[in-house]
Amino acid sequence: AGPRCPCGMRGCLEVSADGRALLGRTPADPGDPAEVKELFRRAAAGEPGAAERIGAAARCLGRALASLANLFDPDRMVLSGVLGEYLRVAPGRIHEELAASVVARAQDPAVVAGTVAGPVLSGAVEHAFGPLLACPRLLAEPA
């Protein structure tokens, strides 16, 4: 359930927590990154409307992290870019959702903000995911 994602699925984290989602924009209109930064600044300052918008998206992020914890049982999860901002501004919302996962509660993975200024896929990962990033519909096509 949820809004349609550019990947073709519904309710993906991208349509719930990226900058476009925060600004109510479409994939074709990503908005201005400065607007996203301003929204996080206002939320950190305690502005109710901004804090609620960031908090709702942080809950979605927390649920996604709980699913990842259930699937992979990681020791650490690193949030970069906009996702790292959620950890700075609304860590409680993220951790509340993680606490709902038995696996995450038992294993208690560290959730940390990334320190890379411009997080991007690189090296072998970029090469491996290149065809998929160029054409996400490849996932839906039979081999």
Side-chain angles (χ1 to χ4, degrees), residues 103-131:
V103 173
R105 261 194 333 268
Q107 300 301 328
D108 194 26
V111 181
V112 299
T115 58
V116 176
V120 295
L121 293 176
S122 61
V125 173
E126 184 175 21
H127 180 71
F129 281 100

Side-chain angles (χ1 to χ4, degrees), residues 4-114:
R4 186 164 296 281
C5 179
C7 78
M9 301 297 291
R10 290 191 171 276
C12 296
L13 186 60
E14 181 176 352
V15 296
S16 302
D18 77 347
R20 291 176 296 217
L22 288 174
L23 299 175
R25 302 293 169 90
T26 65
D29 178 17
D32 183 353
E35 290 178 81
V36 175
K37 286 181 183 180
E38 176 62 15
L39 184 63
F40 275 103
R41 187 200 64 72
R42 292 185 355 240
E47 182 183 304
E52 184 51 39
R53 188 181 298 178
I54 296 295
R59 277 192 198 103
C60 292
L61 175 57
R63 282 193 295 274
L65 294 176
S67 292
L68 289 172
N70 289 341
L71 289 169
F72 299 110
D73 188 20
D75 292 328
R76 174 181 304 242
M77 292 185 268
V78 180
L79 304 179
S80 297
V82 170
L83 301 182
E85 286 298 301
Y86 287 109
L87 192 59
R88 182 179 67 81
V89 175
R93 303 282 176 97
I94 292 169
H95 291 291
E96 286 169 9
E97 295 297 328
L98 276 169
S101 162
V102 172
V103 173
R105 261 194 333 268
Q107 300 301 328
D108 194 26
V111 181
V112 299

